[in-house]
Amino acid sequence: MNVFMIRKNLFLLAVFLFTADLLFLMTGCLSTKKTASPYRLTFDSSPISAQDCSLEFDFTNLSEKEIKSFSLVLNVFDGDGCPVFATSQVSFPFEKSVLPGEEVSGMLEFKEDVVMEENDFLMADYLYAERIEYFDGSVWEDPLGRFSR
């Protein structure tokens, strides 16, 4: 074999290894989405009155451990699609015990967090649990909402 053939084969081997690594990384990242979320969170996605500025939700503990506290994150937009919070999202902590399999209802009130002129309605775009603390001391975190349902 001449030098040209050896270089060509090394280049092809490098391309193959790079592609294989990239494939393994991508499928590994995609498969984390299949990891079960330890909660289910539901809310009414219909428009919210700008005067009311509250959102009812139902939170279900899908884990086998008792929850000591949890923190929810909410993103809300006005009718034009503009954010209504000074920050991109607002976090709501709840010191509430939730048994395994139990569903609890609650209300998020965010009138003081809204920075906008009066508008006809608001839309809750994204609600997820960013942190769950269990009575056994363990903590589950999802700061970006990747496991929301």
Side-chain angles (χ1 to χ4, degrees), residues 14-139:
V15 168
F16 171 77
L17 291 174
F18 175 77
T19 305
D21 285 345
L22 189 60
L23 178 66
F24 289 124
L25 286 174
M26 289 183 69
T27 56
C29 290
L30 293 175
S31 68
T32 60
K33 207 55 167 150
K34 296 177 185 175
T35 303
S37 172
Y39 71 94
R40 180 177 47 245
L41 191 56
T42 57
F43 66 97
D44 184 7
S45 59
S46 59
I48 302 166
S49 162
Q51 292 77 27
D52 186 28
C53 289
S54 64
L55 180 72
E56 292 182 26
F57 68 89
D58 294 316
F59 178 91
T60 305
N61 179 2
L62 299 179
S63 74
E64 296 179 358
K65 300 186 278 184
E66 184 177 355
I67 293 175
K68 180 180 181 181
S69 65
F70 59 94
S71 181
L72 302 180
V73 171
L74 175 66
N75 292 322
V76 177
F77 298 90
D78 65 16
D80 297 326
C82 299
V84 297
F85 298 143
T87 60
S88 61
Q89 57 197 20
V90 174
S91 181
F92 298 88
F94 288 89
E95 295 290 328
K96 188 168 198 142
S97 172
V98 186
L99 297 171
E102 182 182 12
E103 178 179 287
V104 295
S105 297
M107 174 94 61
L108 303 176
E109 296 179 358
F110 49 90
K111 188 157 187 83
E112 65 218 26
D113 299 306
V114 174
V115 288
M116 59 167 241
E117 296 178 19
E118 286 298 314
N119 208 340
D120 292 335
F121 68 92
L122 305 172
M123 295 297 294
D125 178 52
Y126 203 43
L127 176 64
Y128 64 92
E130 70 174 341
R131 179 179 167 86
I132 299 174
E133 184 178 347
Y134 298 95
F135 273 102
D136 67 3
S138 63
V139 174

